[in-house]
Structure formats: C-alpha cells, structure tokens
Amino acid sequence: MKWFDPTRFFDISYNDLLFRLVVNSLLALSLLASGLVILAILLRIRNDRLQQTRRQLEAEWRPLLMEVLMGERLLADLQQRIAPRHRFFFLEFVYRFARRVQGQDFHTLCLLARPFLPHIRDELKKSTPEERARRLQILGLLGFEDYRDEIVAALDDPSPLVAIVAFRQLARPDRPEYAPLLVQKLPRVRRFSHEMLASLLAGMGTSVLPPLREALRDPTRPAWIRAIAADVLARLNDATAGPLAAQALRNPGLPSELVAALLRLLGTVGTPEMLPVIRPCLEHPDEEVRAEAVRALGQIGGPESVPLLLKALDDPSSWVAFFAATGLQQTGQHELLRQIAESDHPRHDLVRQVLAEERLAV
C-alpha cells in the first residue's frame, strides 16, 4: 500500500482552497512590493526636485545676501522676495551663514531672519523630533532672545534628541543663568555621552560651579550625575571640590563610576592630606578605579607614595601598571625607573615606553 503517490502532488486546480490561498498571497505580496518600489521612486523624485529648488533659490539669494551684509541693499528688499512656501529654506540658508560669522554681520543675519522665525516656532509642537530639533537649532542661534522660553521648554520635550539640542543651546558661557537649570535637567539627557555632557557644562565656566558642588555633596543624587559633576569640577580645577570628593569617598558602597570620577577630581585638585581616602581604592576590584587611584597617588602623593606605586607596578592590569610607572616618573624616581627598565622585571617594557615618551616630550 502506498502512503504517498507523487503523481497526485501535481493534481491541483484553482478550485483547491489551499492553492487559491497561496496564489492570492503571492499576488498580494507582489502588489505590495511593487507599491513600495513605486513609492520609493516617487519620494526620490520629490526629494530631487526639492533639492533642485533649494539650489536654485540659494543661487538667487546668495548675491542678494552679500549686498545686504555689505550695506548695499536693505533687509526688506531681500525679505520681500521670500515666498511663504520657501520660508524654512531661507532660514536654513541664513543659519548656515550665521554659524560662520560674528559681530555686526551676525546681528544683520538675525534681523534678516526675524520675520520668518514665528513660522517655525509654531511648528515645534507638531513636527517630527528631527524637524523639531532642526527648528530649535535655528531659533536658538537666530532668535534666542525672542524664543528663550521655547528653548527652555524643549528640555522637557518627549524626544531626547530635542532635549539635547535645547541643552546645547543653553549651555554657553554667555548664558550663565541657566547653569542650575541644566544641572537639574541632566536626567533628560542621560542617554547621551557623559563625556559630552561634562564638556558642555565645563564650557559654561565658573557659573556652573555652585550647582555642581551641591550635586556632588548630595548623596541622594544619582551616582552618574555626581560623577559628571566631579568630572566637570576637575576640568575647571575647582580646589573647593577637593574636600567634597574626599568626604564622598569615605562612604562605602559607591558605584565604580562615581569612585573613579572622585579619584580623577582628587588627582587634579587634591592635597597630600587626602591620601588616606585614596589608598583603599588601590585594592578595588574594578580595574578603572585602581587605575585612577594610582594616577591620583602619583599626582599628589609625593615621595611617600613611592612604595605604593612600586607595588602597583605589579598589578595584573597593564593600565594600572602604566599609571604606576607614570606616577614614579612624576615623583622624580627616574633612576629607579631606569633600573627597572634594564632588569628582568615583568613590566620592564612598559617602563621603557614611559621613559621613551619622557625623552620625546623633552
């Protein structure tokens, strides 16, 4: 008895329900794929036309803008040429120029853009996150004084992209009054690089010191915020923050990220009296923490730190050992380093590298 007759496999007609289902599904998928291809082609054609229109408009606007900047043409002469449907194109065109100039030229460009800025202000709530972010950049550069409330409000935008654009617009040396607010709003931009956030805050200068000291002092603040505060205070060489960092390190159970940042701060602004809080970190299980502890030891420890640095030279981490060799160099132990370099010490190659870099620096 045959369980399967291969000749019946091909005995299928359109009246078969399963066959109709397969054929109709394939037809539907083919139509969908064709529709997506057509849509992609249409979008490409549309974008190409928009880019062509933009290039043509900018070719027309550029000589007129030069005449405005040189005082040979009134602002109104150019403003009247901008059709309503081209307002955003024109603002992007002016924005690119404004990023490269200062002084009177920048002021002129702001005045030129001013009548068109309300149009993009009204789009901040209904456009996509990318569009909102772009419009916020333009408002922040060309109309900050008129739209500062909108930029501050954008710190609470649902999109992290829009929030970081607002953060960048406010984190400027000439806007010190926003420093406390930006420290408060750090959770809104947590997903972005902490290195970048620290750089933005440090760029504000001394105005950011008081709120960051308070953040570092407050144990209820998230550890990552206190770590950013420590890194910014180190960048700004805030000597007042040294005792705060030492006090914070006395608390057990701190996350490694925060401990490493506190040690970096102590290495920059600490004093030898703070060494007792650094020494326990030399045995920390986290490699980064040990490395920062050794580096801080070399920066502020002086001659009494030499035995600890020699011990750290045997650390299983080459990173920690490198900072130990650098610390010995900083404490003036050049002859000791040369002896190690010429010996069969496991780290003699690393020590030779440190000595070679010293010679190149000289």
Side-chain angles (χ1 to χ4, degrees), residues 3 27 48 50 55 75 85 92 98 126 155 179 182 192 197 208 212 216 219 234 265 268 276 303 306 339 345:
W3 291 96
L27 180 61
D48 288 346
L50 284 174
R55 287 193 293 268
L75 291 173
R85 66 181 182 278
E92 286 199 310
K126 59 183 180 181
L155 289 170
L182 293 178
F192 294 93
L197 296 175
V208 81
L212 287 177
L216 185 63
L265 177 55
T268 303
V306 171
Q339 292 175 8
H345 191 284

Side-chain angles (χ1 to χ4, degrees), residues 308-325:
L308 294 173
L309 292 171
L310 280 172
K311 181 180 178 181
L313 199 59
D314 295 322
D315 192 279
S317 166
S318 57
W319 188 18
V320 175
F322 174 79
F323 283 127

Side-chain angles (χ1 to χ4, degrees), residues 62-73 105 108:
R62 188 170 288 105
L64 301 177
L65 178 59
M66 293 300 103
E67 292 177 10
V68 169
L69 292 176
M70 290 186 292
E72 298 173 359
R73 180 181 292 273
D105 285 345
T108 300

Side-chain angles (χ1 to χ4, degrees), residues 195-254:
E195 176 73 17
M196 181 190 74
L197 296 175
S199 177
L200 288 172
L201 290 172
M204 299 186 75
T206 57
S207 65
V208 81
L209 293 179
L212 287 177
R213 290 172 189 152
E214 184 58 35
L216 185 63
R217 185 184 293 112
D218 186 357
T220 66
R221 294 286 187 99
W224 68 271
I225 290 182
R226 298 177 74 196
I228 289 178
D231 282 338
V232 177
L233 293 169
R235 289 171 187 241
L236 296 175
N237 294 305
D238 180 34
T240 306
L244 298 179
Q247 180 62 37
L249 277 174
R250 291 187 176 92
N251 297 314
L254 295 178

Side-chain angles (χ1 to χ4, degrees), residues 17-126:
L17 179 60
L18 180 60
F19 181 74
R20 291 202 308 271
L21 180 61
V22 171
V23 170
N24 290 338
S25 297
L26 290 174
L27 180 61
L29 289 174
S30 298
L31 291 173
L32 178 61
S34 300
L36 291 174
V37 170
I38 293 172
L39 178 61
I41 292 172
L42 292 175
L43 287 174
R44 178 61 182 271
I45 292 173
R46 175 180 175 273
N47 288 336
D48 288 346
R49 287 179 176 175
L50 284 174
Q51 291 302 319
Q52 183 180 3
T53 299
R54 185 190 294 264
R55 287 193 293 268
Q56 291 173 347
L57 289 170
E58 291 186 1
E60 174 187 339
W61 293 334
R62 188 170 288 105
L64 301 177
L65 178 59
M66 293 300 103
E67 292 177 10
V68 169
L69 292 176
M70 290 186 292
E72 298 173 359
R73 180 181 292 273
L74 296 176
L75 291 173
D77 291 342
L78 178 52
Q79 291 167 337
Q80 291 170 1
R81 292 173 179 262
I82 309 305
R85 66 181 182 278
H86 298 148
R87 288 178 295 197
F88 185 65
F89 286 170
F90 181 69
L91 285 173
E92 286 199 310
F93 171 71
V94 174
Y95 174 82
R96 292 201 302 275
F97 275 89
R99 292 182 63 186
R100 302 196 295 266
V101 300
Q102 296 178 345
Q104 184 57 44
D105 285 345
F106 177 76
H107 180 66
T108 300
L109 291 172
C110 291
L111 292 176
L112 184 62
R114 192 171 189 177
F116 308 104
L117 293 176
H119 168 68
I120 63 171
R121 186 269 312 276
D122 296 338
E123 295 178 340
L124 285 178
K125 294 183 179 179
K126 59 183 180 181

Side-chain angles (χ1 to χ4, degrees), residues 121 124-125 132-133 135-137 139-141 143-172 175-186 188-189 204:
R121 186 269 312 276
L124 285 178
K125 294 183 179 179
R132 294 201 302 277
R135 284 153 176 76
L136 201 66
Q137 285 179 317
L139 287 175
L141 182 66
F144 180 80
E145 294 303 324
D146 293 328
Y147 299 99
R148 62 174 65 205
D149 290 344
E150 285 79 4
I151 295 170
V152 169
L155 289 170
D156 294 317
D157 190 278
S159 166
L161 174 63
V162 179
I164 192 61
V165 169
F167 195 98
R168 292 177 68 97
Q169 293 292 337
L170 297 169
R172 289 178 38 171
R175 295 168 186 172
E177 66 273 22
Y178 295 105
L181 175 64
L182 293 178
V183 174
Q184 177 189 342
K185 293 293 185 179
L186 277 171
R188 292 288 301 119
V189 291
M204 299 186 75

